[in-house]
Amino acid sequence: MDDVTQEQARQERATEPLTQHVQRISRRVRAFDHRHPLVWDLQLTGFWVTAALIDYYGGGWLNVARDHDNPRWLVLLLSLGLSVPLLKRRSHPRAVLLAIAPFALVNAWTGIALQAFLLQLLVVFHIALRRRTSNLWWATALITTPMAVLAARHPQGSPDKDIVPVLMSIAVAVAVGITVRTRRDHTEALEDRARRLEIERDQQAQLAAAAERARIAREMHDIIGHNLSVITGLADGGQYAAAKSPERAAQALQAIATTSRQALGELRRLLDVLRDEEAPTASHPELAPQPTLTDLDQLLDRVRAAGLPVRITVHGTPSLPAGRQLTVYRVVQEALTNTLKHAGPGTTAEISLSYEEKGAVTATVTDTGSAGPTGPAAITGGRGLPGMRERTALYGGTLEAGPRPQPERGWRVHLRLPEETPQ
């Protein structure tokens, strides 16, 4: 496989356009320069120092010199002074320009007129690339001053022949530097935007995963917790009936088996959601258990089979969206589950549902238990009541849960969902 992959990569490189090939090489060079900046600085500086020394030893400077009677050691010193400082042109361009300025002034004053003074244009380029544009004014003045001195002390035609070409060269160096700087800033802005979008995407994915985990935790608590409470009630009743009525004990065992199979099926569906890499509610809605109000009868049958007598009263005609139906169902389910867990023997429960216009609904679940959950810890702890409040808050509703007022006994859960607001 590795040989095949390498061969495919070679073929892709062989068929890629010339521009992409150049860009790929350019990225590699920039990456190497970023890791080892001194290597490139030494190479470029060495090139220009060598060029200056060739000009000195070859006598080429005599072709442009205005005064040939200067000592050769001074020519050598000026050649090195105008080229060696370029080593720091990227990190300290202003200091380099100031360091070259005395040599450029002596070069003009003596009339040696070495062409190496044009190396200052490289420094101007880096000032335009890395420093504020206000530095370009004094840099221009610093470079043109020696040319004005040369034109005044060693005139050769009109002064503009010495100054104007230098000014044009400076303008070109500045334009190139600003262009490269603009392109670099634009590229960095795009890269920064891509990084921020990637971070935002990761954060959105984490938030979505956290919301999905919370949803699944609510579903597991509502479904599995309810079924286990029913099984516990059936087991207690079956144990009590085993000694007096074997037939009722057998019925209890059968109900336990049925409820267990239902709980196992719901658990498998939830585990399928956890294993699915895609969003369950978007790509596989059938995997997410979403009961509706039509499933209340089955819920009440299971609760009654567990030994809790439940009576339900309905006012109005239900015409709720699926989300509101799920909220009402889960609140009723959780309230009955808490009654099975905490209310004690001999308890009865009553449900009152009132449907109004535009999706408003009121649900009240009361029981007559003598051992309901009491205290702030019972109201705020666990996943039950917080889960009910989270579902209620999604639709701007209110949820009240607490002991019934004296002299009545038991627990009361009251849900109110207001009318739907148009989006």
Side-chain angles (χ1 to χ4, degrees):
M1 290 296 294
D2 294 338
D3 295 339
V4 174
T5 303
Q6 293 177 1
E7 181 62 25
Q8 291 177 350
R10 284 194 294 269
Q11 292 178 357
E12 291 177 356
R13 287 195 297 268
T15 58
E16 67 182 1
L18 179 61
T19 55
Q20 294 184 6
H21 184 69
V22 173
Q23 290 176 0
R24 180 166 53 84
I25 295 177
S26 177
R27 285 194 297 268
R28 291 182 178 179
V29 172
R30 288 197 300 269
F32 179 82
D33 180 54
H34 181 73
R35 295 192 302 268
H36 310 285
L38 185 59
V39 174
W40 174 247
D41 290 339
L42 287 173
Q43 288 180 351
L44 188 139
T45 303
F47 173 81
W48 289 115
V49 170
T50 303
L53 293 178
I54 290 174
D55 185 53
Y56 164 71
Y57 285 109
W61 64 278
L62 294 172
N63 297 325
V64 295
R66 307 286 176 91
D67 187 351
H68 299 82
D69 296 331
N70 289 285
R72 293 184 64 87
W73 64 266
L74 180 60
V75 179
L76 177 61
L77 180 62
L78 293 178
S79 299
L80 295 176
L82 292 170
S83 58
V84 172
L86 294 177
L87 183 64
K88 295 293 184 180
R89 74 195 182 283
R90 291 199 290 184
S91 57
H92 302 86
R94 292 177 297 185
V96 169
L97 194 61
L98 292 174
I100 293 178
F103 296 96
L105 187 59
V106 173
N107 180 55
W109 184 270
T110 58
I112 296 176
L114 291 174
Q115 295 296 306
F117 85 92
L118 293 174
L119 295 177
Q120 296 176 100
L121 298 177
L122 289 175
V123 185
V124 172
F125 166 79
H126 285 284
I127 291 177
L129 181 63
R130 293 179 169 83
R131 297 294 183 265
R132 291 184 299 180
T133 54
S134 58
N135 293 311
L136 295 173
W137 295 107
W138 64 263
T140 302
L142 200 63
I143 295 175
T144 54
T145 297
M147 298 309 301
V149 172
L150 179 65
R153 283 184 54 83
H154 306 279
Q156 197 175 59
S158 59
D160 59 339
K161 292 183 179 181
D162 292 322
I163 298 177
V164 172
V166 174
L167 291 176
M168 295 179 62
S169 300
I170 294 174
V172 172
V174 170
V176 174
I178 292 177
T179 301
V180 174
R181 180 174 186 169
T182 302
R183 185 178 183 276
R184 184 193 63 183
D185 293 344
H186 179 66
T187 303
E188 291 178 352
L190 292 178
E191 292 176 351
D192 180 67
R193 180 183 178 186
R195 283 193 298 269
R196 286 188 284 106
L197 289 175
E198 185 176 358
I199 293 173
E200 183 179 353
R201 181 198 64 190
D202 293 340
Q203 291 176 344
Q204 291 292 339
Q206 293 174 0
L207 291 175
E212 184 63 15
R213 285 194 298 269
R215 187 190 71 82
I216 293 173
R218 288 196 300 267
E219 296 294 330
M220 293 189 69
H221 176 276
D222 294 340
I223 297 171
I224 308 303
H226 169 74
N227 287 329
L228 290 178
S229 298
V230 171
I231 291 172
T232 302
L234 290 171
D236 292 340
Q239 182 181 9
Y240 176 77
K244 298 182 178 181
S245 178
E247 294 180 356
R248 295 191 61 185
Q251 293 176 355
L253 291 175
Q254 184 179 4
I256 289 175
T258 302
T259 305
S260 299
R261 282 192 292 270
Q262 292 176 349
L264 183 60
E266 298 291 357
L267 180 59
R268 285 174 176 169
R269 296 171 71 185
L270 286 172
L271 292 179
D272 287 338
V273 174
L274 289 174
R275 284 193 295 265
D276 197 340
E277 295 181 356
E278 301 178 1
T281 57
S283 58
H284 298 287
E286 70 277 7
L287 295 180
Q290 301 291 334
T292 61
L293 292 177
T294 58
D295 299 313
L296 273 179
D297 292 337
Q298 298 178 9
L299 173 66
L300 299 183
D301 290 341
R302 292 197 299 269
V303 172
R304 293 183 182 115
L308 177 62
V310 182
R311 186 178 65 178
I312 183 170
T313 304
V314 179
H315 301 282
T317 303
S319 59
L320 302 177
R324 289 180 170 242
Q325 292 190 42
L326 178 62
T327 298
V328 175
Y329 180 94
R330 292 302 189 207
V331 169
V332 173
Q333 182 187 47
E334 178 61 27
L336 295 177
T337 300
N338 288 338
T339 299
L340 282 170
K341 289 180 179 179
H342 308 290
T347 301
T348 61
E350 183 175 350
I351 303 172
S352 175
L353 296 177
S354 178
Y355 302 105
E356 303 173 15
E357 296 181 354
K358 297 182 181 180
V361 61
T362 301
T364 304
V365 182
T366 57
D367 63 58
T368 59
S370 58
T374 58
I379 297 177
T380 59
R383 287 293 311 168
L385 290 174
M388 287 193 289
R389 288 196 170 92
E390 290 176 6
R391 294 181 184 277
T392 305
L394 290 176
Y395 299 97
T398 57
L399 180 74
E400 301 174 1
R404 299 173 67 184
Q406 296 294 334
E408 297 177 332
R409 297 189 310 170
W411 194 261
R412 175 179 178 270
V413 175
H414 179 72
L415 167 70
R416 168 67 180 174
L417 297 182
E419 297 180 356
E420 292 185 83
T421 56
Q423 299 297 325

